[in-house]
């Protein structure tokens, strides 16, 4: 594998789904894109027109696959084969799948002696996604959840597979559609200083591999969506 081949991963969160709209936990559980979620995927695709991806990947959840196909079509990259990677699947919340997000976050905060997750985040220097992941793992007696180390190992395997395949073909720009917690954790693994409190649907975070190392650029960038709206004549 040639470490000199530059790879730019456009790491994208899927469009808004039914469970997102209801503010419910959605990890390994899945729900389809809403009309709004499909529209923002179309906007993202139009905003990415002119970007000639050498490969396209999506998590194996339907919401990521649906988003990726829309983006590929709108950006004129529909000729690529969409590869589905289970390694890029969202964190699994076990028995908490489908629960209200705020219910789970309050449980996490209270487990650490805080009234709200915001209070906890403000008082700790720990990686925010790890707080949620490891606490949910401890609270879920079903054994269906992963701890942060296992989750990170899975994501690392996914990134390595994407990187190796892309470098074997000479490098280039790659579309990867995944999930909020996935993107948070990857940013924290590479450069915690670039992490955001919220990863918006259809935002793009660039994960760059060059000279043997990863870096993060433009975390949570919504400018491609905005450009796509303008291209469509929207506001």
């Amino acid at each position: 594998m040639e470490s000199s081949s530059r790879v730019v991963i456009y790491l994208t969160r899927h469009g808004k789904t039914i469970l997102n709209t209801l503010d419910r936990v959605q990890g390994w559980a899945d729900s389809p894109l809403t009309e709004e979620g499909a529209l923002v995927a179309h906007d993202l695709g139009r905003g990415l027109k002119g970007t000639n991806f050498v490969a396209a990947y999506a998590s194996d959840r339907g919401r990521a696959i649906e988003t990726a196909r829309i983006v590929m079509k709108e950006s004129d990259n529909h000729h690529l084969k969409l590869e589905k990677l289970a390694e890029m699947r969202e964190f699994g919340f076990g028995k908490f799948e489908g629960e209200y997000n705020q219910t789970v976050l309050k449980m996490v905060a209270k487990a650490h002696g805080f009234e709200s997750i915001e209070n906890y985040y403000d008082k700790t220097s720990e990686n925010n996604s790890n707080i949620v992941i490891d606490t949910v793992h401890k609270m879920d007696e079903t054994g269906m959840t992963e701890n942060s180390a296992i989750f990170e190992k899975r994501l690392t395997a996914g990134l390595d597979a994407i990187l190796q395949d892309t470098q074997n073909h000479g490098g280039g720009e790659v579309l990867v559609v995944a999930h909020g917690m996935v993107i948070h954790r990857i940013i924290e693994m590479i450069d915690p200083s670039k992490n955001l409190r919220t990863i918006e649907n259809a935002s793009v975070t660039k994960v760059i591999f060059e000279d043997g190392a990863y870096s993060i650029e433009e975390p949570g960038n919504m400018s491609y969506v905005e450009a796509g709206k303008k291209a469509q004549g929207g506001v």
Side-chain angles (χ1 to χ4, degrees):
M1 184 163 74
E2 293 293 330
S3 62
S4 59
S5 299
R6 187 173 193 260
V7 175
V8 181
I9 296 171
Y10 286 65
L11 184 58
T12 303
R13 188 181 175 202
H14 60 80
K16 198 170 191 178
T17 67
I18 291 171
L19 286 176
N20 290 155
T21 303
L22 297 174
D23 198 26
R24 289 184 178 271
V25 171
Q26 182 179 229
W28 286 16
D30 203 18
S31 65
L33 300 185
T34 60
E35 183 178 356
E36 178 188 349
L39 286 172
V40 79
H42 282 282
D43 288 335
L44 174 59
R46 284 189 293 270
L48 286 169
K49 196 168 283 191
T51 305
N52 297 313
F53 294 114
V54 298
Y57 296 84
S59 148
D60 65 350
R61 302 293 86 177
R63 59 194 185 272
I65 294 167
E66 190 179 354
T67 301
R69 285 183 172 147
I70 293 171
V71 171
M72 290 165 69
K73 181 179 179 181
E74 290 284 5
S75 64
D76 292 335
N77 286 285
H78 50 275
H79 59 283
L80 296 172
K81 179 186 176 185
L82 179 62
E83 302 288 347
K84 298 156 190 96
L85 275 183
E87 290 85 354
M88 302 306 287
R89 184 188 299 177
E90 182 62 294
F91 171 71
F93 285 82
K95 74 175 186 179
F96 300 109
E97 294 281 350
E99 181 58 86
Y100 283 109
N101 284 314
Q102 287 305 311
T103 300
V104 175
L105 291 174
K106 282 179 182 175
M107 288 172 62
V108 171
K110 286 188 176 180
H112 293 274
F114 291 86
E115 281 304 306
S116 73
I117 199 71
E118 288 77 19
N119 287 345
Y120 189 21
Y121 287 166
D122 291 340
K123 297 278 173 51
T124 181
S125 59
E126 294 179 63
N127 289 329
N128 293 349
S129 67
N130 275 355
I131 294 168
V132 176
I133 289 166
D134 286 328
T135 308
V136 167
H137 177 67
K138 288 175 185 173
M139 292 192 300
D140 176 29
E141 71 281 356
T142 69
M144 290 190 290
T145 60
E146 303 157 293
N147 62 29
S148 59
I150 293 171
F151 185 47
E152 182 173 325
K153 184 177 181 181
R154 169 161 71 80
L155 296 182
T156 299
L159 280 177
D160 286 349
I162 293 166
L163 178 65
Q164 182 160 358
D165 190 50
T166 307
Q167 288 199 323
N168 285 343
H169 292 87
E173 296 174 308
V174 182
L175 175 69
V176 178
V177 180
H179 309 269
M181 294 283 280
V182 168
I183 298 169
H184 277 302
R185 192 72 206 102
I186 287 173
I187 293 173
E188 289 169 358
M189 285 159 50
I190 296 168
D191 186 354
S193 71
K194 297 283 179 70
N195 204 12
L196 304 171
R197 185 67 62 90
T198 303
I199 299 292
E200 301 288 348
N201 294 102
S203 64
V204 173
T205 296
K206 287 185 181 177
V207 180
I208 298 170
F209 188 88
E210 190 171 28
D211 298 327
Y214 282 108
S215 62
I216 299 290
E217 288 187 8
E218 304 172 18
N221 187 356
M222 292 295 288
S223 68
Y224 297 102
V225 170
E226 295 307 315
K229 285 179 182 177
K230 288 177 183 173
Q232 182 69 0
V235 285

